[in-house]
């Protein structure tokens, strides 16, 4: 089991966990790393557990493989994207032409 790892120079804790062998080709890297954004040990443990759950869920999703979405699921995903994008567009934080050309 992995645990929070303090960066030797900054003291900020990090999440580090080796990618399982069966997922190496899909993930494209050997280790999952992310800053936990804290120097407090107790907070690092809480954030580490939360991040570990997200990583495990992502890996389980990768293991389940590709599946076909039904129309309702497609609409739900599009709705989430739309709800996130429209406020950015209204405040000038998103330009369809500029953002699509840059990426």
């Amino acid at each position: 089991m992995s645990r929070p790892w303090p960066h030797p120079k900054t003291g900020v804790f990090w999440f580090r966990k080796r990618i399982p062998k069966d997922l190496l080709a899909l993930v494209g890297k050997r280790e999952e790393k992310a800053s936990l954004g804290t120097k407090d040990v107790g907070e690092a443990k809480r954030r580490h557990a939360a991040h570990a759950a997200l990583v495990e869920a992502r890996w389980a999703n990768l293991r389940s493989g590709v599946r076909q979405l039904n129309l309702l699921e497609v609409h739900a995903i599009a709705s989430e994207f739309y709800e996130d994008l429209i406020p950015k567009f209204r405040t000038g934080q998103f330009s369809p032409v500029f953002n699509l050309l840059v990426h």
Side-chain angles (χ1 to χ4, degrees):
M1 172 142 186
S2 64
R3 60 178 183 250
W5 173 79
H7 191 277
K9 291 184 180 177
T10 65
V12 174
F13 284 93
W14 280 70
F15 174 89
R16 293 177 67 183
K17 190 166 184 176
R18 182 180 298 270
I19 305 288
K21 288 182 182 180
D22 63 322
L23 298 176
L24 282 173
L26 289 171
V27 176
K29 56 186 177 181
R30 295 183 325 171
E31 187 177 50
E32 183 79 36
K33 294 190 293 188
S35 173
L36 298 175
T38 185
K39 293 181 179 182
D40 178 73
V41 176
E43 182 63 22
K45 287 180 180 180
R46 283 186 287 282
R47 292 181 185 184
H48 187 276
H51 193 78
L54 290 174
V55 168
E56 290 296 333
R58 188 177 336 123
W59 290 350
N61 189 28
L62 286 171
R63 285 186 177 106
S64 69
V66 178
R67 70 177 184 88
Q68 187 128 10
L69 300 177
N70 64 38
L71 191 57
L72 186 60
E73 292 169 320
V74 171
H75 282 286
I77 292 169
S79 174
E80 287 179 27
F81 182 74
Y82 176 82
E83 294 298 326
D84 181 55
L85 197 60
I86 292 302
K88 291 179 183 176
F89 181 73
R90 288 187 177 144
T91 60
Q93 297 173 346
F94 179 84
S95 165
V97 175
F98 179 75
N99 286 77
L100 294 177
L101 291 176
V102 173
H103 299 285

